[in-house]
Amino acid sequence: MNILVVSNNYPSLKNPSRGVFVYNLVQQFCKLGHKVSVISSENILTSKHKKVETYGEENCTVYRPKVVSASNIQIGPFNTYRVAELSQIKGIKATAKKHNLEFDFVYAHFMMNGISAVNALKNYNKPFFVAIGESDLIDLTKMYPENYFKQSIKHIGGFVAVSNKLKDQLIGFGIAKNRIFMKPNAVDLTKFYKRNKVEMRKKYKLPMHLKLVAFVGRFLTHKGPLRVLEAVENLNNVGALFMGNGPQEPIGSSVVFKESVPSYAIPELLSAADIFVLPTQREGSCNAIAEAIACGLPVVSSKIPEVMDQCHPSFSILVDPLDVKAIENAIDSILSDEERREEMSMNALEYAKNFEIGERASSILNFIEGAMK
């Protein structure tokens, strides 16, 4: 089949770590024998990042129309996100027309991209399917005029939700259960697996004498990079690896690595660490946790429903994500007990076998093919 993917959350040479989970999934679509085109809008006002040589093997044809963003600010009945949305719709339309794109269906990643895709491409009379991986859909609806949102989602033939929480929210919008496929996020186990720790530390020039904590994600308050840093700073002989970028930049003597890295480097850096820590306040289905488990890392994360669905006590400790002392104690309890740490690592590796991305990609496409009949 010819698949058109619409997602503004997709890696690039300027931002190699952005949307890696979307990238991994659509690469699997290609490996299953499908022809995939990706339209990934880029904000024209975004500051320039230093380019990397590659963000990984690319089997899709990727188009990157420029859009203008005015953030997400509510001014009376108007939300400034609508500026970006209208710009994105225009860019999607122009790209499809200019390149004479042929597709059997549209697969949009996240609801916002789905609504833009519908309003850009509905005249093509092709089916639309949307992956729902947001942490919450209720606040999202406030960004749109009510009737506009309701009319847009009527054009969507099916939804792939990563959690039961999101499935229930879709049902609350009036979506029939048979139009929703619940499938948690998964990992490419041919890329995410446990490497030799010493070799990976040598490769990335990381200290051999420290226990290392890994964080992967945007440097945002709700993700908690500064809470991780504060917890680590209170521990002896512990350093931290921060993979990502954002406004809450971790700075301090405990930071031994801090960089936005391409997808292929993440499993190598995870393998250099001893433990994964993510005190997130909200998630859809956390790719970073799934990837850390696949690399055999014990996990310290948040006692919230989304994470509790992903993490088993055999390899994780879940705490209040805002309680730095609890985060610190959880990290220390694992790092100070080598036998326990090794057991948790083996349990994580075994658990990861339940979440393989090739099976997930096949299941999603089977759902879509069934819905198109």
Side-chain angles (χ1 to χ4, degrees):
M1 292 187 293
N2 290 337
I3 305 171
L4 176 58
V5 174
V6 176
S7 177
N8 59 11
N9 198 29
Y10 198 82
S12 68
L13 297 181
K14 290 183 180 179
N15 201 338
S17 63
R18 180 173 176 80
V20 170
F21 55 95
V22 182
Y23 160 81
N24 287 333
L25 179 66
V26 298
Q27 300 308 308
Q28 290 295 321
F29 289 166
C30 294
K31 290 177 182 179
L32 290 169
H34 303 284
K35 181 180 178 182
V36 182
S37 301
V38 178
I39 299 180
S40 180
S41 302
E42 292 187 335
N43 184 1
I44 199 170
L45 301 178
T46 301
S47 60
K48 294 183 178 179
H49 297 284
K50 182 181 178 181
K51 285 187 176 182
V52 298
E53 292 184 5
T54 177
Y55 56 81
E57 180 184 7
E58 182 59 79
N59 296 300
C60 311
T61 303
V62 184
Y63 304 96
R64 303 183 187 274
K66 301 297 182 183
V67 300
V68 176
S69 174
S71 191
N72 169 16
I73 302 170
Q74 196 71 36
I75 305 174
F78 179 76
N79 191 293
T80 58
Y81 166 71
R82 295 280 286 152
V83 174
E85 190 210 8
L86 293 173
S87 182
Q88 184 183 20
I89 290 171
K90 181 179 178 181
I92 294 170
K93 277 184 179 179
T95 300
K97 183 177 180 180
K98 178 180 178 180
H99 299 281
N100 194 27
L101 297 185
E102 296 183 0
F103 50 93
D104 297 304
F105 66 88
V106 177
Y107 183 79
H109 217 285
F110 290 164
M111 183 70 89
M112 294 165 72
N113 289 301
I115 291 175
S116 294
V118 162
N119 288 284
L121 303 171
K122 58 188 175 184
N123 289 340
Y124 284 75
N125 294 317
K126 299 292 184 179
F128 293 87
F129 297 88
V130 178
I132 306 297
E134 294 90 335
S135 58
D136 188 90
L137 292 176
I138 305 302
D139 287 341
L140 175 68
T141 63
K142 300 173 184 176
M143 297 166 57
Y144 300 94
E146 183 177 357
N147 287 337
Y148 178 82
F149 179 82
K150 288 181 177 179
Q151 290 301 316
S152 295
I153 64 175
K154 284 182 179 178
H155 291 273
I156 299 171
F159 299 83
V160 179
V162 298
S163 70
N164 283 307
K165 169 188 169 182
L166 292 171
K167 180 179 178 179
D168 290 342
Q169 289 186 349
L170 288 170
I171 292 171
F173 294 153
I175 306 299
K177 290 182 180 180
N178 63 356
R179 290 171 60 196
I180 306 170
F181 179 50
M182 205 289 281
K183 191 71 174 175
N185 287 333
V187 180
D188 186 345
L189 298 180
T190 66
K191 295 178 180 178
F192 285 86
Y193 58 88
K194 188 175 183 178
R195 275 85 165 168
N196 182 278
K197 184 183 298 184
V198 173
E199 291 178 5
M200 293 302 103
R201 289 196 181 190
K202 286 181 179 178
K203 179 173 181 176
Y204 290 94
K205 298 179 174 59
L206 299 171
M208 295 290 181
H209 65 288
L210 298 179
K211 292 288 190 294
L212 296 182
V213 168
F215 171 98
V216 180
R218 289 276 288 152
F219 298 164
L220 300 172
T221 301
H222 79 269
K223 290 285 188 180
L226 298 188
R227 296 192 292 278
V228 174
L229 179 59
E230 185 179 350
V232 168
E233 286 177 334
N234 291 328
L235 298 171
N236 294 323
N237 300 315
V238 179
L241 314 176
F242 290 94
M243 289 164 263
N245 56 39
Q248 279 213 331
E249 184 179 359
I251 299 172
S253 58
S254 297
V255 179
V256 300
F257 183 93
K258 179 184 60 181
E259 194 173 322
S260 177
V261 298
S263 60
Y264 64 82
I266 293 176
E268 296 182 342
L269 285 160
L270 287 172
S271 296
D274 296 284
I275 186 174
F276 179 79
V277 184
L278 184 72
T280 178
Q281 292 177 266
R282 60 182 186 273
E283 291 292 332
S285 176
C286 184
N287 293 277
I289 290 176
E291 292 167 355
I293 295 168
C295 292
L297 289 184
V299 172
V300 172
S301 191
S302 310
K303 201 170 186 178
I304 57 175
E306 307 94 301
V307 174
M308 292 169 69
D309 283 345
Q310 280 187 285
C311 290
H312 191 271
S314 65
F315 61 79
S316 66
I317 299 177
L318 305 183
V319 300
D320 179 345
L322 299 180
D323 188 338
V324 173
K325 190 63 180 178
I327 298 168
E328 176 192 332
N329 290 339
I331 294 171
D332 188 45
S333 70
I334 297 172
L335 294 184
S336 62
D337 188 338
E338 185 173 354
E339 184 177 341
R340 182 188 186 192
R341 190 167 67 252
E342 286 301 317
E343 182 180 356
M344 293 178 79
S345 174
M346 289 187 290
N347 291 337
L349 290 170
E350 188 63 29
Y351 194 80
K353 295 177 183 178
N354 298 312
F355 302 96
E356 198 279 315
I357 198 168
E359 187 276 331
R360 183 174 193 266
S362 296
S363 295
I364 289 172
L365 292 178
N366 287 338
F367 165 70
I368 289 172
E369 288 176 7
M372 289 170 60
K373 290 179 181 179

